[in-house]
């Protein structure tokens, strides 16, 4: 490890799983700086993003950790040390990255990650703008390209993106637009409707009202693809009505209840799921696809084909501010991405 790195670092984590209103739900910590393994890089975290997965994993449950659990699943920073087997990076490289769900995350001054999680930071983005993008961009890219198998041959077809104002939805709008699809988003607040349109949605429906009627009012009866970035349970019957025969649906969020799969057969509908961590957690043969997508996203951000979905920066990185970010997400008061910047 580089000589100028201290043995201990600041972090924000938890010991108990408590409501976000409890000041002990997330606490300031001092823990040991992780030592990178052979294929890992040690990154000084300059900015860390907050995602719905953070709030779900932190949600109340009767469990007490023996060691502090540090959340945070994407961010941006500077490489401070590299393992002996690292090939793509060197000390002082500016990078952005996804975290490893199996270990402590990015809500810390330093994080050690296998280089498969890391790519060069887009040069024209700040650390905060870059930190907003890795998890949501990889998820959106995998959903559209790898799961729904959308290609340039699908140009002119339609996609319905449920919750288009969120982190994944707003990136998916941009990518779908790049692919030449007719993009139909859903949102409910004026600010999320506006953000959806700015992200590339041609039409934005109110997902608190009847989606079928709203689409019919736009002279659309069915769509070719549906990307569901919200609990599909209450939407299920609507999704079955709106998807075209032989259409494809991708679920990014778990269903809170059982759904009837029978309608899928009559229309020969393809139903797929997306979890960004799958390739790495299950060590699939194509796990390096994760890196390829992250590198492609970096290029797209640099050449203007994608724009950062950062909408709010909170500083510094500490327990009070991360609790506030969790609260905003839990109360559905956020759009795009919230990023925490800098330790003090």
């Amino acid at each position: 490890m580089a000589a100028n790195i201290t043995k201990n670092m600041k972090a924000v984590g938890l010991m108990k799983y408590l409501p976000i209103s409890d000041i002990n739900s997330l606490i300031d910590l001092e823990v040991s700086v992780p030592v990178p393994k052979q294929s890992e890089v040690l990154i000084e975290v300059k900015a860390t993003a907050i995602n719905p997965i953070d709030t779900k994993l932190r949600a109340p449950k009767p469990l007490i950790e023996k060691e502090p659990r540090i959340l945070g699943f994407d961010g941006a920073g500077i490489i401070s040390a590299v393992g002996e087997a690292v090939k793509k990076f060197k000390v002082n490289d500016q990078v952005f990255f996804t975290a490893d769900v199996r270990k402590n995350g990015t809500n810390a001054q330093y994080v050690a990650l296998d280089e498969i999680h890391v790519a060069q930071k887009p040069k024209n983005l700040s650390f905060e703008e870059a930190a907003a993008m890795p998890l949501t961009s990889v998820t959106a890219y995998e959903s559209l390209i790898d799961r729904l198998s959308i290609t340039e041959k699908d140009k002119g077809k339609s996609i319905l993106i449920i919750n288009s104002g969120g982190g994944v939805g707003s990136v998916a709008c941009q990518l779908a637009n790049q692919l030449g699809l007719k993009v139909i988003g859903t949102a409910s607040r004026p600010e999320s409707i506006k953000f959806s349109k700015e992200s590339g949605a041609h039409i934005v429906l109110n997902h608190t009202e009847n989606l079928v009627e709203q689409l019919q009012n736009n002279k659309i009866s069915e769509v070719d693809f549906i990307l569901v970035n919200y609990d599909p349970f209450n939407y299920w019957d609507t999704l079955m009505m709106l998807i075209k025969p032989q259409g494809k649906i991708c679920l990014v969020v778990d269903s809170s209840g059982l759904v009837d799969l029978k309608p899928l057969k009559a229309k020969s509908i393809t139903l797929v799921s997306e979890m960004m961590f799958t390739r790495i957690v299950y060590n699939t043969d194509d796990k390096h696809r994760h890196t390829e997508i992250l590198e492609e996203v970096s290029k797209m951000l640099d050449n203007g084909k994608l724009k950062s979905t950062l909408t709010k920066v909170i500083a510094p990185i500490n327990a009070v501010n991360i609790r506030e970010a969790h609260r905003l997400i839990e109360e559905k008061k956020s759009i795009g991405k919230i990023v925490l910047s800098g330790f003090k």
Side-chain angles (χ1 to χ4, degrees):
M1 189 176 293
N4 62 340
I5 300 174
T6 59
K7 291 183 178 180
N8 293 329
M9 66 177 182
K10 293 179 180 180
V12 176
L14 60 85
M15 298 297 295
K16 298 179 180 180
Y17 295 83
L18 303 167
I20 199 59
S21 57
D22 192 312
I23 62 171
N24 293 311
S25 59
L26 290 165
I27 56 177
D28 291 307
L29 303 165
E30 184 171 307
V31 297
S32 298
V33 174
V35 177
K37 298 176 182 177
Q38 280 199 334
S39 63
E40 291 183 339
V41 295
L42 181 70
I43 303 167
E44 180 186 2
V45 176
K46 294 295 186 181
T48 179
I50 308 298
N51 295 278
I53 188 174
D54 293 87
T55 66
K56 291 174 184 176
L57 292 177
R58 195 223 72 251
K61 58 177 88 51
L63 175 65
I64 300 176
E65 297 287 351
K66 294 180 180 178
E67 298 290 336
R69 183 175 188 184
I70 300 168
L71 301 174
F73 296 99
D74 53 354
I78 301 172
I79 292 182
S80 298
V82 298
E84 294 179 1
V86 171
K87 298 177 181 178
K88 292 187 174 182
F89 303 100
K90 63 183 183 302
V91 172
N92 292 326
D93 278 354
Q94 295 187 4
V95 295
F96 72 159
F97 45 86
T98 59
D100 190 331
V101 71
R102 299 165 296 183
K103 57 193 290 189
N104 279 336
T106 61
N107 294 341
Q109 282 184 295
Y110 293 93
V111 62
L113 293 169
D114 190 287
E115 64 178 333
I116 200 171
H117 293 272
V118 185
Q120 297 289 341
K121 181 182 77 68
K123 295 180 177 62
N124 63 348
L125 266 59
S126 67
F127 285 110
E128 293 79 13
E129 290 168 331
M133 298 305 291
L135 183 147
T136 52
S137 296
V138 174
T139 301
Y141 196 105
E142 286 186 343
S143 296
L144 269 59
I145 308 299
D146 296 1
R147 311 305 177 208
L148 292 174
S149 303
I150 298 171
T151 70
E152 291 181 354
K153 293 180 181 179
D154 294 305
K155 185 175 181 179
K157 292 184 178 180
S158 56
I159 183 168
L160 173 63
I161 299 176
I162 304 292
N163 188 19
S164 55
V168 173
S170 54
V171 178
C173 283
Q174 295 183 64
L175 291 173
N177 214 304
Q178 289 283 330
L179 290 163
L181 300 183
K182 184 177 184 63
V183 183
I184 305 158
T186 77
S188 59
R189 293 173 289 139
E191 59 268 33
S192 55
I193 292 171
K194 180 174 181 288
F195 189 67
S196 296
K197 290 180 178 178
E198 291 172 349
S199 298
H202 301 109
I203 300 169
V204 183
L205 312 178
N206 187 327
H207 49 218
T208 65
E209 299 175 4
N210 189 304
L211 295 181
V212 175
E213 290 180 0
Q214 290 178 80
L215 268 181
Q216 289 174 345
N217 289 339
N218 284 278
K219 299 183 179 180
I220 301 170
S221 57
E222 295 174 315
V223 295
D224 298 283
F225 305 101
I226 303 178
L227 177 62
V228 188
N229 299 300
Y230 197 77
D231 180 357
F233 182 69
N234 291 327
Y235 289 101
W236 191 256
D237 291 343
T238 298
L239 300 179
M240 296 302 102
M241 285 189 281
L242 290 180
I243 192 68
K244 284 183 179 180
Q246 302 185 92
K248 297 178 181 179
I249 301 172
C250 179
L251 305 180
V252 176
V253 179
D254 295 334
S255 176
S256 60
L258 298 176
V259 296
D260 184 6
L261 297 180
K262 290 179 182 177
L264 297 173
K265 190 176 191 307
K267 284 186 173 181
S268 297
I269 298 165
T270 299
L271 179 67
V272 295
S273 296
E274 161 59 17
M275 172 60 81
M276 187 203 72
F277 301 108
T278 297
R279 285 180 164 119
I280 293 170
V281 169
Y282 290 93
N283 195 32
T284 62
D285 290 341
D286 67 343
K287 65 182 180 181
H288 288 284
R289 172 76 169 150
H290 184 94
T291 311
E292 292 172 3
I293 294 172
L294 201 53
E295 290 172 343
E296 177 63 19
V297 166
S298 181
K299 291 176 185 176
M300 293 179 77
L301 287 163
D302 259 338
N303 62 27
K305 290 184 177 180
L306 276 182
K307 62 180 181 180
S308 176
T309 56
L310 173 68
T311 55
K312 187 177 185 65
V313 176
I314 305 175
I317 303 170
N318 60 30
V320 169
N321 286 336
I322 294 183
R323 287 199 301 270
E324 172 62 8
H326 277 234
R327 183 189 67 81
L328 290 170
I329 290 175
E330 287 187 353
E331 294 180 0
K332 298 178 174 56
K333 292 181 178 178
S334 64
I335 56 173
K337 287 291 289 285
I338 302 172
V339 168
L340 278 290
S341 177
F343 280 90
K344 282 188 178 179

